[in-house]
Amino acid sequence: MNRASRTTVSTLLIALALAFLSPIYLMLVNSFKDRAELYKSALALPSSFSFQYYAKAMDKMNFLTAFGNSLFITIVSVIFIVVLSSMTAWMLVRTDNRLSRIIFLVFVSTMLIPFQTLMMPLMQVMDWIRTTLHIPMLNTRGGLIYMNIGFHASMAVFLFHGFIKSVPVALEEAATLDGCSKFGVFWRIVFPMLKTITITVAILDVIAMWNDYLLPSLTLSDKALRTIPLSTFYFFGEFTIQWNLAMAGLTLTIIPVVIFYMFAQKYIIKGIAAGAVK
């Protein structure tokens, strides 16, 4: 590649990076402005970098409670997804028969179904469970965690399934000959070798569930149970929108995910690429 080509590619990459970073720039600079300054120029830098609007946003969002709800729901959901999906994928790979292949295809096919087509039937089923079986599935953290597991397990099984195929069967056979049970083989031999894909699954699910608005909005109505995305929606009223407070609230929302992603980003491409190898 000659110098002119390298310059062209670099220019295109810089322009693309600026295009992706522009929403973050708008969100950050406008979170420090009052409404008059924001409406005057959304692109200009603020006259002062005061954190007063962050304090107001945290107070109106009930940020600490919402943060705790999001953190609890996300962590518990991810733990269950990782444990159940990895065990399921391992059994499907190691029992390679027609039934296991059909079950795997069912998992994969559910990834193609848009959530919007399931919203109303899902709420009807959850309400039926509540009224008939007296199990509280709506307006509870447990119900939302249960639904998160159901909707995110398919992708996790798919990724684990591809990765486990690269794990040598000889290691499991040697452990079995040494008297290790199936449960022990998985947790002592197989699962430690799934570190890369486990972190990849965790990252993808944390980002998806932390930023999810639609499912929590359908299942959680109590203010004390609201997650951060639901609390952020407080600033978007029917007649007025508090854009400066909304920008501050959105900034507070993405900070934990950005920090988590920065520490674990090296595993994403590596894990997905490894999971694609048969």
Side-chain angles (χ1 to χ4, degrees), residues 129-165:
I129 292 175
R130 179 181 61 84
T131 56
T132 305
L133 303 179
H134 305 290
I135 301 175
M137 299 300 294
L138 297 177
N139 203 30
T140 62
R141 296 185 188 92
L144 180 56
I145 291 171
Y146 177 80
M147 285 180 264
N148 278 335
I149 296 170
F151 284 110
H152 292 273
S154 297
M155 174 64 78
V157 169
F158 173 74
L159 293 175
F160 276 117
H161 192 276
F163 194 94
I164 290 172
K165 288 182 178 180

Side-chain angles (χ1 to χ4, degrees), residues 177-215:
L177 291 174
D178 288 338
C180 198
S181 63
K182 273 190 173 294
F183 188 82
V185 167
F186 178 77
W187 288 111
R188 295 179 182 179
I189 306 299
V190 178
F191 191 74
M193 301 180 69
L194 304 179
K195 177 182 176 181
T196 302
I197 195 64
T198 297
I199 296 177
T200 302
V201 169
I203 293 172
L204 296 176
D205 286 337
V206 164
I207 294 174
M209 285 182 279
W210 187 269
N211 296 321
D212 187 19
Y213 172 81
L214 188 53
L215 184 57

